[in-house]
Amino acid sequence: MQEHTLTRTGNVPLAFAGEQLARESGRWHAGVEQNRWHEITVYKTAAGRVVVAITYRTLWQGETDYHAVEVVDDLRAAAAVLRAYVPAEYLLGYPPALEGTQFALKQARLQRSLEDRYRDAVTAVLDALDITEHVD
């Protein structure tokens, strides 16, 4: 087991012993380097808990990274955390004062792109975790 210490925005770091189960970075998407993206990492602690770390990364001046970390009991709960996360929550993008202009359309496209790329990253992580939903 490796020791991990994760940054949490607005909170003290979280430290635990465990192993990394899955990781996905959206820095590169469809062969294009992004200037805003999410990094998702899922760990299993030595005690059997699951840690979900979601980081919003940005290279844009005036925006800052955001680090969210949740500790849950199992992989299904981890999947629920990933699905419940709002990927555009910390996106600033174009100033609100420019709403009603062509920038409103650009803001909508920017938000949609970030959300789509986040969902792609979640899909890759859940595939790596081999979580399957069965129906009868």
Side-chain angles (χ1 to χ4, degrees):
M1 293 281 158
Q2 184 178 352
E3 287 293 323
H4 300 275
T5 302
L6 305 179
T7 299
R8 297 187 290 181
T9 298
N11 203 345
V12 298
L14 177 71
F16 60 94
E19 64 177 314
Q20 181 179 300
L21 300 178
R23 184 175 195 292
E24 184 67 25
S25 172
R27 176 96 189 241
W28 286 88
H29 186 264
V32 178
E33 188 173 20
Q34 304 299 311
N35 48 33
R36 294 176 176 99
W37 70 95
H38 288 88
E39 295 172 351
I40 302 170
T41 311
V42 178
Y43 305 87
K44 186 162 199 162
T45 69
R49 308 278 312 270
V50 177
V51 177
V52 179
I54 305 169
T55 301
Y56 168 69
R57 298 271 188 207
T58 180
L59 301 177
W60 280 94
Q61 184 176 352
E63 289 185 354
T64 59
D65 293 349
Y66 184 85
H67 306 270
V69 178
E70 295 285 336
V71 181
V72 295
D73 291 329
D74 56 35
L75 291 176
R76 292 223 176 269
V81 167
L82 292 171
R83 287 191 307 269
Y85 180 83
V86 179
E89 184 171 359
Y90 303 101
L91 169 68
L92 294 180
Y94 296 94
L98 298 176
E99 286 183 19
T101 68
Q102 74 273 13
F103 293 107
L105 293 174
K106 289 182 178 184
Q107 180 72 11
R109 281 194 305 270
L110 174 62
Q111 182 173 334
R112 177 65 188 259
S113 173
L114 188 64
E115 291 167 346
D116 289 347
R117 289 183 282 118
Y118 174 77
R119 278 191 292 278
D120 288 348
V122 168
T123 299
V125 166
L126 294 178
D127 285 349
L129 293 175
D130 199 26
I131 301 172
T132 305
E133 181 177 345
H134 296 277
V135 294
D136 295 329

